[in-house]
Each structure stands twice: as structure tokens, then as C-alpha cells.
Amino acid sequence: MMGARTVMQEALFYSFSLEDHVPQSHLLRAVDHFVDLSGIREKLRPFYSETGRPSIDPELMIRMLLIGYCLGIRSERRLCEEVHLNLAYRWFCRLGLDGAVPDHSTFSKNRHGRFRDSDLLREVFEMTVTRCIEEGLVGGEGFAVDASLIKADANRQRGVPGEDGLPPNIVNHAAREYLEVLDEAAFGAASPATPKYLSPADPAARWTSAHGGQAFFAYSTNYLIDLENAVIVDVEATTAIRPAEVTAQRTMIDRTQERFGIWPQRLAADTGYGDAANIAWLVHERGIEPHIPIFDHARRRTGSFQRDEFRYDHQHDLYVCPGSKELLPRRRNFAALRGDVDQDGFIRYRASKHDCEACALKPQCCPGQPNRIVPRSIHEGARDLARDLAKTDAYLTSRRERKKVEMLFAHLKRILKLDRLRLRGPNGAKDEFLLAATAQNLRKLAKLIPMPAAPALA
């Protein structure tokens, strides 16, 4: 038979514990085990006034942001509503049942002030890296690096031609930040080329069509990960072009060594990081094995002899062709000394026109040219090492493991829902990328490190 209608009756007293109502299997319970924010109050103390009304607890705001990024809640307004209603979120934020949830505008005020001035979000991220190292999740032997495009909060239809510059009436924090980073290698100084379009809403975002579809304004998030468990050991925001991403790779490798004392033996990356100067930097200046495909402009597509069929004589600085003729960097002496290295960092070794015309192998060597020219980079020694490494089993392992960084980007966009930025300007991109990488490391810890057993009930 039908039961009686349920009628809510207000009790005079309640016996209620948040601890009992958060399941042991809840993600935030596992994440909470690895979050240590005990030091942030002292770090932020110099950024608060000694007078005035008490501020919102900074630890509460960081915990709320971690909830948002761990669980893909992209709106801070909605985050405040969810924390107000959800018991597990209240438990994680140490709010209790009657704790007041701060207004969403508080996050913006602190982000543009104390959080950025103190570099707090980077410290929170590095806290997760330190914890991963302590838990044995970071091997330190092999790293991988890559970048992924994240759409900026900028309407592609509102762009203005890059050669015209920004309209003079544009005054916002994103425009001010754009002017501040014009000389930084990760942004304005990454390329001398003028962007095709600029966004008045976020001028530092780069107009790009790298995905092959419609062009859009974007930033690049750069990850340096440890290959053992795909822990993110560093993250950097840059403009969305390859030279800036290569610069970010160097910054992250050096910063990881400085902050954590980790120096990898090998680095896996895609062909975009395989230019000669970067390979030489890894090999000669940092002593890291580049498990990176070489970006080789000298490959010929006509079926004629490839460059590796010419033997290089180190002692006499010349190449010997398959027909046993010499290719020299210069064929005659000039009254004024000329450099052999061109603006791209290559020395061009030329065969004698007379030798080539009389050679029976000319149709297989240089059928459309009077003589054969072989370019050699000034960093060719490092490139040769990279080519030799490409023949090893360790290289094949690195190429397979490198896909872990791409899986992290897929997780970032599909699970954490960071396929489009919510904040504007270079600092906004940095904040979002740091918090997202922090969330991914915390989720990694929660997944791989077992929770301590719950105390038995008496």
C-alpha cells in the first residue's frame, strides 16, 4: 500500500558531522591528504595591511580554487554556489555547516594583487611537485616536453590588423600586460614577425591556425613532465608560436634543476624542438641526451643522393662525395675575409663545377644544378649525436613514453574542461595553467598513492 506523505519536521537539535558524510572514496578526500597550505599565511603576511577589517582567509580561497580546477568547475561564481551547497566541498574547505562562502569577486581582487605579487600559485604548484618527489613518483632520469594551444577569451571576429597596432582608446589590464611583455622571449620577442591580427580584448594572445581549421587567438601551455609517472615538474605560459615554446623548454629545465635539484639524462620531444641550436644547447650546455627527431632542411625529395651519403672529413673540414670528389666551404681566397656561416647557422660545402660536369653520377647527385652543395650546421656534432641516439632502443622507448604528455593535454581539455581560458592577459594565462597543472598533479597523487586506512570505530 502507499506510504504516508513525507513531511519535513524541524528538529530542535541536530547531531551532524561533515566527516561522516564525505565518502572515503571521494576524490577530494584523497586530494586533501596531499594538500599542505600551512605556510601560505606567513608568505602572504607582507602583502596585507596591519590595520583595517579582517580579510578572507587565503587558504580558504586556494582550497576553493583547487576544487574548481580538480573538478572542472570553470566559473568562480558557480564555484561559490557549489561550495555553499555541497557537503564534500565544505569539508575540504574547512567551512563546517555554517561557514560563510566568500563572494566570487574576492578571487579577482586577490588574483590581481596578493596572489600575483607573491607568486603564490607557483609555490602551490611546486608544493605538489615536492610531494610527488617525496612519494617516489618522480624518477628524474627521463623528461618529456610539449606545448598545447589553449583558446584565449577573445572573439576572433573582433581582431584588428596587426600592422595597425592596438587602437589608442584600448585601456584594460590585458593591454597593459601586453605592453609589459613585448620584450620577453616567451611573448613579444619570440618572433620579429608582426601578428596578422591583434585582439583588443587580449593583445598578447596570438592569432594562429596551427590546428588546420579556423584561425583563433590562443596561448600555449608548456609542460615538462617526468616520464616515470607523467608527473608535471614544470609549466610555463607562452605566446602560441614554436620559438616561444622552445624558449619555455629551456626555462623549465633550468628552473627544475634550480628548485628541485633534478637534472634529466634524456629529453623526449617532437620535431618542433629538433632545430640545431636547441639540440646543441641540450648536448653541449646541459649534457642531456636529445631523444628528438632532427629537423633537417637538407633532406632531398628528388631521389638524388642524400647528405648522409657524403662523408665528412673532420681533419681537413671537407666532404667527400660518392664519386670521391671533395666539397669545400670555399673555392677561392678573397682579399676581404668572408665568413663561411650564413644567417641560419649553416656552412655550405660546394663541389667543383668542373668535377660535377665530368662525373657519371651527376644524374643521381645534382641533376638540376651545375654542382652539388651540402649544407652543414655549426651544431652538426650535436645533430650527429641525436641521429645516433635515434638508432637505439632507449630512443624508441622515449618516443613511446612521450605520448604521456599528450595524454595530459587531453585530460586538461576534456576532463578539467580547460579548452578555453577564462582569464585574460599573460598573467591570467599563467594563473590558469599553474592551477590546472596543480590539479593534475594532485589527482595523480590521489590515484597512485593509497589512502591511509580509516580509524576503526569503537
Side-chain angles (χ1 to χ4, degrees):
M1 85 185 166
M2 184 181 295
R5 181 186 299 275
T6 301
V7 179
M8 184 180 73
Q9 295 181 352
E10 294 287 347
L12 186 60
F13 300 103
Y14 284 98
S15 175
F16 189 90
S17 170
L18 278 179
E19 181 70 30
D20 297 337
H21 285 75
V22 179
Q24 293 296 320
S25 59
H26 198 285
L27 173 64
L28 289 181
R29 187 177 284 278
V31 166
D32 183 68
H33 181 62
F34 302 103
V35 175
D36 180 12
L37 301 176
S38 57
I40 70 170
R41 293 183 65 86
E42 283 303 314
K43 179 175 178 62
L44 291 176
R45 190 175 298 280
F47 300 91
Y48 284 90
S49 172
E50 295 296 331
T51 60
R53 64 180 183 178
S55 66
I56 302 296
D57 183 3
E59 181 177 347
L60 168 61
M61 288 188 285
I62 294 299
R63 284 183 173 272
M64 289 180 65
L65 287 172
L66 291 179
I67 291 174
Y69 280 84
C70 282
L71 299 175
I73 303 174
R74 299 289 297 128
S75 165
E76 285 170 359
R77 188 186 296 269
R78 179 174 165 238
L79 175 63
C80 292
E81 296 172 354
E82 293 290 337
V83 172
H84 178 72
L85 295 172
N86 192 298
L87 295 180
Y89 297 174
R90 281 185 167 272
W91 172 87
F92 183 79
C93 293
R94 310 294 192 260
L95 278 175
L97 282 177
D98 55 355
V101 177
D103 188 77
H104 65 89
S105 62
T106 306
F107 293 97
S108 179
K109 292 177 181 178
N110 282 273
R111 180 186 302 113
H112 291 291
R114 302 180 185 100
F115 289 178
R116 288 178 184 169
D117 294 342
S118 63
D119 207 14
L120 177 64
L121 298 183
R122 176 158 289 280
E123 184 162 307
V124 173
F125 165 73
E126 291 178 354
M127 174 267 295
T128 67
V129 180
T130 300
R131 189 60 186 268
C132 289
I133 294 172
E134 293 172 351
E135 296 289 347
L137 299 184
V138 176
E141 188 272 332
F143 281 3
V145 67
D146 204 356
S148 184
L149 297 179
I150 306 294
K151 290 183 179 179
D153 184 26
N155 190 331
R156 63 182 303 275
Q157 297 178 341
R158 300 286 181 87
V160 297
E163 61 270 13
D164 294 346
L166 285 178
N169 60 338
I170 299 298
V171 180
N172 55 44
H173 74 270
R176 290 192 294 270
E177 291 177 12
Y178 163 71
L179 297 176
E180 291 171 0
V181 300
L182 280 177
D183 296 328
E184 291 189 12
F187 289 96
S191 171
T194 301
K196 187 174 182 179
Y197 293 104
L198 287 174
S199 167
D202 192 351
R206 191 84 178 191
W207 179 261
T208 178
S209 57
H211 285 169
Q214 275 192 334
F216 55 92
F217 293 106
Y219 287 93
S220 283
T221 179
N222 299 264
Y223 278 5
L224 182 68
I225 73 164
D226 182 83
L227 287 174
E228 185 166 321
N229 287 291
V231 170
I232 305 168
V233 294
D234 207 350
V235 56
E236 186 76 1
T238 64
T239 188
I241 55 174
R242 181 59 72 175
E245 295 165 2
V246 174
T247 299
Q249 164 229 264
R250 300 186 183 188
T251 300
M252 292 189 293
I253 289 175
D254 287 344
R255 186 164 52 206
T256 301
Q257 196 275 336
E258 177 186 345
R259 303 285 175 87
F260 308 111
I262 301 175
W263 202 260
Q265 297 179 20
R266 57 190 171 96
L267 178 72
D270 60 27
T271 313
Y273 297 85
D275 66 278
N278 190 52
I279 296 294
W281 182 85
L282 291 169
V283 173
H284 299 311
E285 297 189 35
R286 296 298 180 266
I288 299 173
E289 293 183 357
H291 289 200
I292 304 172
I294 295 300
F295 191 59
D296 198 345
H297 292 280
R299 298 294 298 176
R300 298 169 73 90
R301 302 177 183 178
T302 60
S304 55
F305 292 143
Q306 297 295 337
R307 193 192 66 87
D308 53 13
E309 297 181 69
F310 292 72
R311 179 176 58 84
Y312 181 66
D313 186 334
H314 286 270
Q315 183 177 358
H316 299 98
D317 187 25
L318 55 83
Y319 276 96
V320 179
C321 74
S324 301
K325 302 297 182 181
E326 295 179 349
L327 287 76
L328 304 175
R330 68 189 70 83
R331 282 285 167 182
R332 56 187 174 127
N333 295 324
F334 295 91
L337 186 64
R338 298 185 179 183
D340 296 329
V341 183
D342 64 17
Q343 62 181 3
D344 296 323
F346 282 86
I347 303 172
R348 303 189 181 277
Y349 293 77
R350 293 173 169 82
S352 165
K353 182 179 178 181
H354 174 76
D355 289 341
C356 288
E357 288 177 345
C359 182
L361 297 176
K362 188 176 187 303
Q364 299 170 260
C365 184
C366 51
Q369 299 169 311
N371 61 328
R372 180 63 185 261
I373 301 174
V374 174
R376 178 179 176 84
S377 170
I378 57 175
H379 306 300
E380 200 64 35
R383 286 157 57 91
D384 286 340
L385 173 62
R387 292 187 184 98
D388 292 339
L389 289 171
K391 302 173 185 177
T392 64
D393 293 337
Y395 178 87
L396 296 177
T397 301
S398 294
R399 300 305 300 159
R400 183 174 64 252
E401 292 180 334
R402 191 193 66 82
K403 296 179 181 178
K404 292 179 180 180
V405 69
E406 297 176 358
M407 294 171 65
L408 282 170
F409 289 139
H411 179 268
L412 175 72
K413 296 177 181 180
R414 300 189 64 179
I415 307 301
L416 303 190
K417 299 181 173 61
L418 188 59
D419 56 346
R420 183 186 179 94
L421 291 174
R422 184 175 50 80
L423 306 179
R424 292 175 177 174
N427 287 328
K430 292 175 185 178
D431 290 350
E432 292 223 55
F433 296 159
L434 280 168
L435 283 166
T438 301
Q440 287 183 293
N441 277 352
L442 287 172
R443 290 175 65 112
K444 179 77 64 176
L445 283 162
K447 177 181 178 181
L448 298 182
I449 305 300
M451 283 280 292
L457 296 176

